Amino acid sequence: MPTAFRAAMVLIALYASTVLASAQSLPKDAPARTEIFPIPSLTLSDQQFLSGDAAAGKPVTVAGEFRVAQGTGRMPVVVLMHGSSGVGAATEAWVHEFNAMGISTFVIDGFTGRGLTVVGPNQALLGRLNLIIDIYHSLEILAKHPRVDPDRIVLMGFSRGGQATLYASLDRFHKLWNKSGVQFAAYIPFYPDCSTTYQTDTEVAARPIRIFHGTPDDYNPVKSCKAFVERLKTAGRDVVLTEYPDSAHGFDSGLLGVASVVVSANAQTVRNCHIKEGNGGVLMNGDTNVPFTYKDSCVELNPHVGGNPATAAEARKAVVEFLQALFKLG
């Protein structure tokens, strides 16, 4: 075979392999692999959770979707916890953002395995603290995974999931329920409800807490979160609350282009309630000094939800920069 012909064949083969590799390459925000995990958990009342009564819980299996970002070795992970409407479209926007950064994601679905789709119109369908149980059990899975760096797992949640994210930082709850042997590297709650005061709730993990909220939020008003943040700061905790104007509850749906604000029909809000943990883990209505229920007069209906593309982009930038520094990304 003539030398020139052989050289031409080599070049053709090289070109073909390059084209094939290019055709098989993935967009940066696409995961290299997706795994679905059953998460053994419990369904508990808030009182059972607060008193550590695991024996009274009903066993349940929820699920988590683990998207392994492109890369090699043990990688950082963001665990995402949904709100009262379950896993929504905005979660997907965050997943793509993190995967593009080389950060894997673990999205928990705490509803489907419990036979739930939404709890907004009836928050009593599920105790507010159950999602923390699911979160800690997800840590058990991730701590053992060969592609996870257990020192670089961050928890992020939205609304009811933001509430779970915020209070999952409590030392007391870790001692009661977290059996994974690892701790989150940071906590990122979006528009959580901060209207409940738990015993020893300023004793939190020695990790950063970064809260993102909207000024006009009338579902989970920022006012109660400001008060909690001040108590945490007084206790010397690493906590920052970033507040955005013109940003209703769920403002990060602006990442999907949502720019309107609407009434969340018949959704319950405890915006005017003052709930505190009493003796024996009973949640009390602080105004009436009787056990709190969602039939109390302070519970109201029809708060607003909606997106703001501008402030959603600001929040995304802030979260990205925070994670880049925390995870020491390039």
Side-chain angles (χ1 to χ4, degrees):
M1 183 181 296
T3 301
F5 182 79
R6 286 200 303 268
M9 293 299 292
V10 169
L11 288 174
I12 291 171
L14 180 60
Y15 174 78
S17 65
T18 301
V19 170
L20 181 60
S22 176
Q24 291 178 332
S25 65
L26 297 172
K28 287 176 61 178
D29 64 342
R33 177 178 173 81
T34 300
E35 301 172 354
I36 307 297
F37 284 92
I39 307 173
S41 192
L42 293 171
T43 299
L44 299 156
S45 69
D46 291 331
Q47 183 177 6
Q48 289 165 346
F49 178 98
L50 291 167
S51 59
D53 190 1
K58 178 183 177 182
V60 66
T61 300
V62 296
E65 182 195 61
F66 183 40
R67 297 192 193 181
V68 183
Q70 297 175 48
T72 59
R74 293 184 177 271
M75 306 180 72
V77 180
V78 173
V79 175
L80 296 109
M81 189 75 251
H82 62 76
S84 295
S85 296
V87 180
T91 302
E92 190 72 8
W94 286 108
V95 166
H96 282 278
E97 185 72 34
F98 297 145
N99 288 168
M101 295 172 64
I103 301 171
S104 299
T105 51
F106 192 92
V107 176
I108 301 172
D109 175 6
F111 279 3
T112 305
R114 292 186 170 99
L116 301 170
T117 52
V118 298
V119 299
N122 184 5
Q123 294 284 359
L125 287 171
L126 185 66
R128 68 186 64 212
L129 299 168
N130 278 273
L131 298 183
I132 299 178
I133 295 281
D134 302 343
I135 285 165
Y136 289 157
H137 282 300
S138 75
L139 264 185
E140 295 180 30
I141 293 168
L142 293 170
K144 300 172 184 176
H145 198 287
R147 296 300 312 280
V148 173
D149 181 348
D151 295 325
R152 293 194 294 167
I153 306 174
V154 160
L155 177 61
M156 181 178 187
F158 309 89
S159 192
R160 181 185 260 245
Q163 174 184 259
T165 296
L166 179 59
Y167 294 109
S169 69
L170 269 60
D171 287 339
R172 172 183 161 212
F173 294 170
H174 276 284
K175 291 173 183 175
L176 281 175
W177 298 107
N178 183 8
K179 311 303 180 186
S180 69
V182 299
Q183 172 62 274
F184 287 107
Y187 299 83
I188 306 177
F190 267 65
Y191 35 88
D193 168 35
C194 305
S195 63
T196 304
T197 301
Y198 297 101
Q199 294 177 11
T200 67
D201 62 4
T202 58
E203 296 176 14
V204 297
R207 300 290 192 275
I209 299 172
R210 300 292 183 266
I211 305 171
F212 296 85
H213 223 306
T215 301
D217 191 323
D218 65 354
Y219 204 140
N220 293 336
V222 70
K223 181 179 178 181
S224 60
C225 288
K226 285 182 175 179
F228 184 38
V229 165
E230 287 307 309
R231 290 198 294 118
L232 289 171
K233 287 183 175 179
T234 299
R237 312 308 178 194
D238 182 1
V239 57
V240 176
L241 168 62
T242 303
E243 184 180 348
Y244 296 102
D246 303 319
S247 299
H249 194 74
F251 71 89
D252 61 314
S253 63
L255 296 176
L256 303 172
V258 176
S260 58
V261 176
V262 299
V263 171
S264 183
N266 298 315
Q268 294 175 316
T269 167
V270 294
R271 62 191 173 203
N272 289 319
C273 299
H274 304 94
I275 307 167
K276 61 182 181 180
E277 181 185 353
N279 295 331
V282 178
L283 292 180
M284 306 291 291
N285 184 320
D287 296 322
T288 62
N289 289 318
V290 298
F292 170 81
T293 76
Y294 281 97
K295 295 180 180 179
D296 287 3
S297 60
C298 66
V299 178
E300 299 181 352
L301 302 178
N302 301 320
H304 293 81
V305 297
N308 183 321
T311 56
E314 288 182 38
R316 176 176 58 190
K317 182 175 183 290
V319 170
V320 165
E321 290 176 351
F322 172 72
L323 292 177
Q324 286 173 333
L326 182 73
F327 290 152
K328 297 179 172 58
L329 302 178

